[in-house]
Amino acid sequence: MAEPVSRKDFWRLLAESRLLTAEALAAAREACEGNAADAVAIATRLGSQGQLTGWQARQLLRGRSGPFFSGDYRLLEQFKTPYRGRRFAARHETTGRDVSLVVLDNDACDIPATWESIVRATQLARSVCDPVVSKTWSLEQVGRRRLVVCESIPGDPLSERFAAVGSRPLGETGRIVFAVARGLAELHRLGIVHG
């Protein structure tokens, strides 16, 4: 990994990012005034105070001032995806609602057949009503970017929870498998291909 930015550059990038209001930025700088902390220590402090997420701090420390917004959505964390495009945990600034945001690949969306397939898949996904399947709310366009807005599911992925606690009692495992199978059956009924 490259060296983190200097303290001076970190403050400049944070100001450019629009992640903090001018008042919050001034208060953060004042709180660090006279402190010999480097950019990493400042980012860590702001993270522990809930002013930055880990992903936002890492981006700033790499010299990037964003983008941390897509339209009305504040990007909080980025996740790896097995497909083209990017997935983020995000917050709708106007309503405060946490969402999962999929930023689609522009080149793929420019292919008419691919775009039609995306629109159709999103329409089908909006009709899923099983409680175990995350809800798809909308397909939106922000500038040239196209986004799929989905329900944010709180908590750790099931695979991580199982890895942390080990095997589960048979009855609990059966209930989980049944719920997942019911959700998959709903997707299959609608003709949705799942990954």
Side-chain angles (χ1 to χ4, degrees):
M1 182 173 138
E3 287 291 315
V5 298
S6 69
R7 178 184 170 118
K8 178 182 176 184
D9 285 340
F10 179 82
W11 288 118
R12 177 185 54 77
L13 291 164
L14 185 55
E16 290 172 5
S17 75
R18 300 183 303 122
L19 288 169
L20 301 181
T21 64
E23 297 79 21
L25 180 63
R29 287 190 80 144
E30 186 176 322
C32 292
E33 206 52 43
N35 183 338
D38 62 6
V40 173
I42 295 167
T44 301
R45 178 181 180 153
L46 294 173
S48 69
Q49 295 171 346
Q51 294 182 288
L52 293 178
T53 66
W55 173 75
Q56 291 166 343
R58 288 188 301 277
Q59 295 299 99
L60 292 165
L61 290 170
R62 290 179 182 139
R64 300 178 188 138
S65 62
F68 294 113
F69 295 88
S70 188
D72 291 337
Y73 298 97
R74 176 185 292 255
L75 307 179
L76 304 173
E77 295 289 343
Q78 183 174 0
F79 302 101
K80 292 184 183 200
T81 60
Y83 48 86
R84 292 171 69 181
R86 295 170 291 156
R87 186 171 72 86
F88 294 91
R91 180 169 298 121
H92 187 253
E93 289 287 277
T94 308
T95 64
R97 174 187 264 181
D98 287 336
V99 299
S100 180
L101 197 66
V102 179
V103 179
L104 301 171
D105 180 84
N106 280 339
D107 293 335
C109 290
D110 287 342
I111 301 168
T114 302
W115 178 244
E116 289 172 19
S117 173
I118 290 168
V119 170
R120 177 77 179 129
T122 303
Q123 289 170 338
L124 285 172
R126 288 187 62 202
S127 64
V128 174
C129 57
D130 191 281
V132 83
V133 179
S134 67
K135 293 169 184 41
T136 297
W137 286 314
S138 63
L139 180 60
E140 299 181 13
Q141 186 156 351
V142 176
R144 186 157 144 58
R145 286 191 187 129
R146 295 175 184 135
L147 320 167
V148 179
V149 184
C150 304
E151 176 182 22
S152 174
I153 306 295
D156 299 325
L158 198 54
S159 60
E160 290 178 19
R161 289 179 71 194
F162 277 176
V165 298
S167 63
R168 306 305 309 148
L170 187 57
E172 181 182 345
T173 302
R175 285 188 295 279
I176 292 169
V177 169
F178 178 75
V180 170
R182 187 188 63 224
L184 286 173
E186 171 77 357
L187 295 177
H188 289 175
R189 182 184 69 76
L190 294 168
I192 297 174
V193 177
H194 56 83

